C-alpha cells in the first residue's frame, strides 16, 4: 500500500502512475470531491481577520481549494538562494525536478512554455521593476475536464481508495513500513500503514507536517495548515489583450498593495 497525502494535481497524477504499475494506493485529502472540508473551513481559521477566501472552496483540487487543480513551478533562483548559511544546499536540483513538473503540466494543462519563458516574453518590464528581492510567478490551472476525468478513473480502480475529511498529523517508519496518523473531522484519530508515504499537500502543509514531526512538542508551525491564514499581497497584475496589432500581445498594468493580518 502506498499512502499519498494531498489530492491536488501532483497527488492525483502520482496516484495514476502508481496504479498504472498495478500498485495499491490510498489518497488522503482534507476535503472531498464535492463537499467542503469541515477541518479547513473559515470557522476553523486560527488567525481572526476578514479572509478573502469564499466559503465552500476547501475541496479536492489543490491550492487548498477547488481551483481546477492549481500548481506552480519553482524558479531557478529558489535553488540558488542561501537563506540560512553558506553550507545549505537543496538535496535536489531544478534540472532534476523539471521533467516531473513538465509531465504534470503537460498532462493537466497542455503547457507549451516554461513559466520563466512565458514571464520573460510577456512581463519583462514588471520583472525589472520588482528588483532582486521579489519574483513574479505564475500559477497554472488544470483543465477542469481532464482533472475530474482523471479523479473519476482513479475511483473505479480496485487498487484505489480515497479518504476525505482527514489531515495528516504525524508519520513514522519502522521495519520497512510507514505509519501515518490522521485526524478526522469528528476529532478522532486513525492510523494507516503502508510501504511508502508521499507528501503532495503543498509547501505550507508539507513543511508544517515535517517540522511538527521533528519537534513532537510543537502543535503547529503554520496555524491550521492553511496558507490563507497569512494573506500577503505584494502586487496585482491586470492582463488585457491588445487588438491594435495583427498579432495579439499581452498588455499589463499593476497596482501594488500590501496587507498582513494584525494577529499574524
Amino acid at each position: 500500500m502506498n499512502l499519498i497525502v494531498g489530492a491536488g494535481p501532483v497527488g492525483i497524477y502520482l496516484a495514476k502512475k502508481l496504479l498504472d504499475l498495478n500498485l495499491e494506493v490510498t489518497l488522503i485529502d482534507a476535503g472531498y470531491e464535492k463537499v467542503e472540508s469541515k477541518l479547513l473551513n473559515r470557522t476553523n481559521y486560527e488567525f481572526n481577520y476578514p479572509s478573502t477566501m469564499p466559503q465552500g472552496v476547501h475541496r479536492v483540487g489543490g491550492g487548498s481549494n477547488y481551483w481546477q487543480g492549481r500548481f506552480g513551478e519553482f524558479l531557478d533562483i529558489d535553488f540558488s538562494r542561501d537563506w540560512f548559511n553558506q553550507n545549505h544546499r537543496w538535496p535536489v536540483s531544478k534540472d532534476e525536478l523539471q521533467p516531473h513538473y513538465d509531465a504534470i503540466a503537460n498532462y493537466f494543462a497542455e503547457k507549451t512554455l516554461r513559466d520563466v519563458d512565458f514571464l520573460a516574453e510577456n512581463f519583462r518590464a514588471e520583472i525589472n521593476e520588482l528588483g532582486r528581492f521579489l519574483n513574479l510567478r505564475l500559477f497554472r490551472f488544470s483543465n477542469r475536464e481532464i482533472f475530474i476525468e482523471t479523479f473519476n478513473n482513479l475511483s473505479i480502480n480496485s487498487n484505489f481508495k480515497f479518504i476525505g475529511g482527514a489531515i495528516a498529523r504525524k508519520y513514522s517508519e519502522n521495519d520497512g513500513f510507514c505509519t501515518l496518523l490522521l485526524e478526522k473531522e469528528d476529532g478522532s484519530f486513525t492510523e494507516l500503514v503502508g510501504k511508502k508515504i508521499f507528501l503532495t499537500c503543498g509547501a505550507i502543509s508539507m513543511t508544517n507536517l515535517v517540522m511538527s514531526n521533528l519537534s513532537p512538542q510543537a502543535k503547529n508551525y503554520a496555524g491550521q495548515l492553511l496558507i490563507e491564514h497569512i494573506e500577503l499581497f505584494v502586487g496585482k497584475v491586470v492582463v488585457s489583450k491588445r487588438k491594435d496589432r495583427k498579432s495579439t500581445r499581452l498588455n499589463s498594468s499593476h497596482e501594488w498593495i500590501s496587507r498582513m493580518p494584525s494577529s499574524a
Side-chain angles (χ1 to χ4, degrees):
M1 174 64 70
N2 297 276
L3 308 176
I4 302 176
V5 181
V10 177
I12 288 179
Y13 185 78
L14 175 59
K16 176 186 180 301
K17 302 301 287 186
L18 292 175
L19 290 172
D20 288 344
L21 297 174
N22 201 32
L23 298 175
E24 293 183 335
V25 174
T26 295
L27 180 64
I28 302 114
D29 199 87
Y32 301 93
E33 183 183 2
K34 298 181 180 179
V35 180
E36 183 177 38
S37 166
K38 294 180 181 178
L39 289 164
L40 299 185
N41 58 27
R42 293 200 320 195
T43 58
N44 290 328
Y45 283 11
E46 191 164 294
F47 296 153
N48 297 317
Y49 73 99
S51 174
T52 61
M53 292 298 299
Q55 295 280 18
V57 297
H58 300 98
R59 297 153 57 183
V60 168
S64 297
N65 57 76
Y66 198 57
W67 287 348
Q68 295 184 335
R70 187 187 74 180
F71 56 96
E73 179 179 2
F74 287 107
L75 304 179
D76 293 339
I77 196 171
D78 296 326
F79 295 84
S80 61
R81 281 177 172 162
D82 188 358
W83 295 104
F84 304 105
N85 56 65
Q86 295 299 319
N87 297 320
H88 176 77
R89 294 293 183 272
W90 286 97
V92 295
S93 68
K94 175 64 185 298
D95 289 340
E96 290 176 290
L97 285 178
Q98 191 66 48
H100 305 289
Y101 172 81
D102 288 340
I104 293 173
N106 291 333
Y107 179 83
F108 282 111
E110 300 175 348
K111 187 192 73 161
T112 57
L113 284 177
R114 290 183 58 196
D115 289 7
V116 64
D117 296 326
F118 182 89
L119 290 170
E121 182 178 320
N122 297 288
F123 295 98
R124 187 177 300 276
E126 286 77 9
I127 293 173
N128 291 336
E129 186 172 343
L130 283 174
R132 60 187 294 262
F133 294 108
L134 294 174
N135 303 119
L136 191 62
R137 296 173 184 260
L138 294 179
F139 281 118
R140 302 277 182 171
F141 296 86
S142 301
N143 178 294
R144 186 179 181 87
E145 293 182 358
I146 295 176
F147 188 92
I148 294 176
E149 180 182 3
T150 302
F151 184 82
N152 290 338
N153 288 338
L154 297 180
S155 302
I156 62 177
N157 192 305
S158 59
N159 285 334
F160 177 78
K161 181 179 180 181
F162 175 71
I163 298 177
I167 289 181
R169 290 301 190 188
K170 299 287 182 181
Y171 60 86
S172 60
E173 184 178 6
N174 188 30
D175 294 332
F177 289 90
C178 300
T179 301
L180 185 66
L181 179 65
L182 300 180
E183 179 183 355
K184 304 179 75 174
E185 289 185 338
D186 60 4
S188 64
F189 290 84
T190 186
E191 288 186 344
L192 297 178
V193 178
K195 291 291 292 183
K196 291 184 179 180
I197 297 175
F198 298 89
L199 303 181
T200 65
C201 46
I204 299 295
S205 296
M206 282 192 289
T207 300
N208 193 330
L209 178 58
V210 172
M211 294 299 294
S212 297
N213 210 70
L214 294 174
S215 303
Q217 71 276 13
K219 179 182 177 182
N220 264 318
Y221 279 85
Q224 293 289 338
L225 314 182
L226 287 178
I227 194 170
E228 296 94 328
H229 282 178
I230 304 177
E231 293 184 357
L232 173 61
F233 298 96
V234 295
K236 181 174 65 174
V237 177
V238 180
V239 180
S240 59
K241 291 183 178 180
R242 296 180 60 180
K243 298 182 179 180
D244 57 340
R245 296 186 181 182
K246 292 182 180 180
S247 59
T248 301
R249 296 179 59 85
L250 293 176
N251 181 32
S252 63
S253 61
H254 54 266
E255 171 190 353
W256 302 112
I257 56 175
S258 180
R259 176 168 62 86
M260 283 287 287
S262 58
S263 56

